[in-house]
Every structure is written in structure tokens, then in C-alpha cells.
Amino acid sequence: MLTSLNRIAGMPVIWQDRQIGCVERAIVDASARRLRGLVIRKGIGTARWLPAGSVRLIGRRCVLAGAKPEPLPDGLTDVMMQAYLTTGERAGQVSDALFSGLTLQLVALEITPGPVYALLGRCAYTVSYRVIHAGKRAGQAMVSELMTWAEFREHSRREAWE
């Protein structure tokens, strides 16, 4: 099952048959193409960290935890990346990421040219990207192709059969 970072915000987190909080935000490691962990909070209490290794499943209605959450690690950042085409043109901002709720592997990035386009639902998706680690565009994503949602779904179906 595919899910997105924006969709899981607010989901309840269940550990040992009880709700221990809700997902405040998800942190990804785009370079490793994997979910890094979840920031969870219960009420107005202190935010806690649930590393990806402690996430058993991200389902349609809740997140199942395999361990008790930890204190937030130092230096936890969640920066929105800019995306550039291989021609050097700016494609837009990475506005979301799609990942498998079972394996926690990133499948695609959602790219939006700007906030107005996002409100209009004008987003593109890419499965082929790399994060730049050096130079003036360090920390940004370089994408080789952009797809519509329909093209992405068709690509996902083909990948499932191969």
C-alpha cells in the first residue's frame, strides 16, 4: 500500500494495544530513499521520536509501533528540497513523498512548481531522482523525468508485474 508523508500526519500511533500519540510529522532520508522516523506527540506533551526501525506498519488508519518512542534526537531537520531537471531548470519544490507503508521505502517524490499550483492539484511525480551532495545545489534533488499521477500509477502497475 502506498501512502504519503502528508497523509500520515495526524494518524494515531498504537503500541501494545494502546494509543501513545499521533503523528506530528514524518522525516525522510531522501538520499537513502527511506523513511527515517516519525515525530509523535500526545496532547500538549513533549514530542517523541519513533525511529523507522520501530515502525512495524503504516496502515490506512493508524501506525503500529514495535517499541516505545524515544526522546527527539539532536539536529533533526525537515527541509523541503528544491527539484531541478537534468537540464538545470528548476522543476519546483518537493512537496510530498510517496512510500510503501510496509517496507517504508520511498517510491516517488511529488514536485509542485509553487503553492498556487499545489492548491490547484498541479503536481508532478518522479521515481528517478538523486540528491546532490556537493556544490551550490547541495541538498537539492536532480530529477530526470516528471510524470502525471496517471502516468505514475501506470508505472507502478508495470513495476509490480516485473
Side-chain angles (χ1 to χ4, degrees), residues 67-125:
K68 191 173 180 179
E70 309 166 355
L72 284 176
D74 292 333
L76 190 63
T77 60
D78 187 22
V79 178
M80 294 299 277
M81 295 186 293
Q82 294 294 320
Y84 293 90
L85 298 171
T86 54
T87 60
E89 282 181 86
R90 182 183 173 275
Q93 186 171 20
V94 177
S95 55
D96 202 355
L98 302 173
F99 63 97
S100 167
L102 187 58
T103 65
L104 307 181
Q105 293 291 324
L106 274 147
V107 176
L109 296 179
E110 180 184 87
I111 299 169
T112 312
V116 175
Y117 291 94
L119 289 172
L120 295 172
R122 298 266 176 110
C123 301
Y125 299 86

Side-chain angles (χ1 to χ4, degrees), residues 2-13:
L2 285 181
T3 191
S4 75
L5 297 179
N6 291 339
R7 185 182 169 281
I8 65 171
M11 272 189 177
V13 179

Side-chain angles (χ1 to χ4, degrees), residues 41-82:
R41 187 182 300 266
K42 186 167 187 173
I44 59 171
T46 307
R48 307 285 287 173
W49 175 247
L50 188 64
S54 297
V55 175
R56 294 290 172 246
L57 174 73
I58 298 177
R60 293 192 191 281
R61 294 195 174 103
C62 69
V63 174
L64 297 179
K68 191 173 180 179
E70 309 166 355
L72 284 176
D74 292 333
L76 190 63
T77 60
D78 187 22
V79 178
M80 294 299 277
M81 295 186 293
Q82 294 294 320

Side-chain angles (χ1 to χ4, degrees), residues 23 26 49 76 127 129-130 136 153 160:
V23 176
W49 175 247
L76 190 63
V127 294
Y129 71 92
R130 69 179 179 86
K136 69 178 184 176
R153 294 297 295 177

